[in-house]
Amino acid sequence: ETAVFQTPNYHVTQVGNEVSFNCKQTLGHDTMYWYKQDSKKLLKIMFSYNNKQLIVNETVPRRFSPQSSDKAHLNLRIKSVEPEDSAVYLCASSYRGLEQYFGPGTRLTVL
Amino acid sequence: QQQVRQSPQSLTVWEGETAILNCSYENSAFDYFPWYQQFPGEGPALLIAIRSVSDKKEDGGFTIFFNKREKNLSLHIKDSQPGDSATYFCAARNGNEKITFGAGTKLTIKP
């Protein structure tokens, strides 16, 4: 049963465009995350956010930014996409940093 | 620097055999080790987890064996079925800090 929802499922865009991905969790969790999963299935955390603190992985380019309206939503914006941004973006949530629950992912293809 | 290492990268076993997936870590402060299962087109899902105070955890046909002194653990999948074919991620966490994922093992069960 899905409790972490992501939209869209897929997105194809051109280099330089801006994209935005949505994530919503209905678990009542207090922390949300964005991960990037590359073609080799490697999972790399990009951001973690609760209502008190945003933690950014220092290797994430500045064109990526998280946007949150409340603790149930954490969107991801990419200001000017580049070819190396092609990947699956996974949203997850947890309560007090315990077990993480993942959404189905958004597959981004940059042409 | 990869703090959580998994081997093998890919594994093929026959239906009914026990599949053994290995994981080792460097940070002796890690105290919680979840395993995630990911099917194609889906996000990772928590499968089973163990805390460092235990040396074994069983759940159905899945068993984690943990060796704190050697800083390694393994996931055994007993009587494996084609439906168990997936990518398995070993992960580790220190207290309330972020989870560190391994690179995954792609498991294929041949009927």
Side-chain angles (χ1 to χ4, degrees):
Chain A
E1 184 181 347
T2 304
V4 180
F5 302 89
Q6 291 187 240
T7 57
N9 294 328
Y10 304 93
H11 190 79
V12 181
T13 190
Q14 306 275 355
V15 170
N17 285 350
E18 177 174 317
V19 300
S20 188
F21 304 146
N22 301 314
C23 180
K24 169 187 170 182
Q25 56 94 4
T26 59
L27 295 164
H29 287 167
D30 59 3
T31 306
M32 295 184 73
Y33 311 81
W34 277 103
Y35 287 83
K36 179 181 180 181
Q37 187 171 43
D38 63 21
S39 58
K40 295 182 180 178
K41 298 286 189 181
L42 286 171
L43 281 164
K44 176 184 166 183
I45 189 165
M46 303 177 72
F47 305 99
S48 68
Y49 182 76
N50 62 28
N51 57 6
K52 297 175 185 174
Q53 189 177 19
L54 170 66
I55 300 174
V56 180
N57 184 326
E58 64 274 6
T59 65
V60 173
R62 295 185 66 167
R63 60 181 180 278
F64 289 84
S65 60
Q67 299 171 316
S68 178
S69 55
D70 55 57
K71 69 176 185 178
H73 296 83
L74 184 67
N75 300 332
L76 178 67
R77 186 179 78 157
I78 313 174
K79 221 186 287 192
S80 177
V81 295
E82 298 188 4
E84 61 264 31
D85 298 338
S86 294
V88 175
Y89 291 87
L90 290 159
C91 176
S93 70
S94 72
Y95 179 66
R96 294 189 177 180
L98 297 175
E99 288 81 3
Q100 292 189 14
Y101 291 78
F102 285 83
T106 294
R107 180 176 295 278
L108 173 66
T109 301
V110 181
L111 302 175
Chain B
Q1 182 186 5
Q2 193 172 355
Q3 291 201 57
V4 176
R5 289 190 173 85
Q6 290 187 247
S7 64
Q9 194 172 15
S10 62
L11 176 66
T12 300
V13 301
W14 294 103
E15 181 176 354
E17 291 184 337
T18 296
I20 300 175
L21 288 64
N22 300 304
C23 180
S24 64
Y25 60 96
E26 296 176 3
N27 186 347
S28 55
F30 286 144
D31 61 1
Y32 175 71
F33 302 87
W35 285 83
Y36 285 81
Q37 179 188 55
Q38 185 179 27
F39 295 109
E42 298 182 10
L46 180 66
L47 180 66
I48 186 172
I50 193 167
R51 296 193 181 275
S52 60
V53 293
S54 301
D55 55 15
K56 183 180 175 182
K57 177 78 177 289
E58 275 184 275
D59 187 352
F62 300 94
T63 303
I64 300 174
F65 293 93
F66 179 70
N67 186 324
K68 188 171 184 176
R69 187 173 58 86
E70 299 290 331
K71 291 196 279 189
N72 61 44
L73 60 158
S74 60
L75 174 68
H76 291 224
I77 305 175
K78 195 168 53 175
D79 188 23
S80 55
Q81 300 297 309
D84 294 325
S85 297
T87 298
Y88 291 81
F89 293 96
C90 173
R93 196 192 70 212
N94 169 18
N96 286 329
E97 310 228 342
K98 66 177 177 67
I99 284 181
T100 300
F101 285 88
T105 292
K106 184 176 179 181
L107 176 65
T108 303
I109 309 297
K110 284 192 171 178

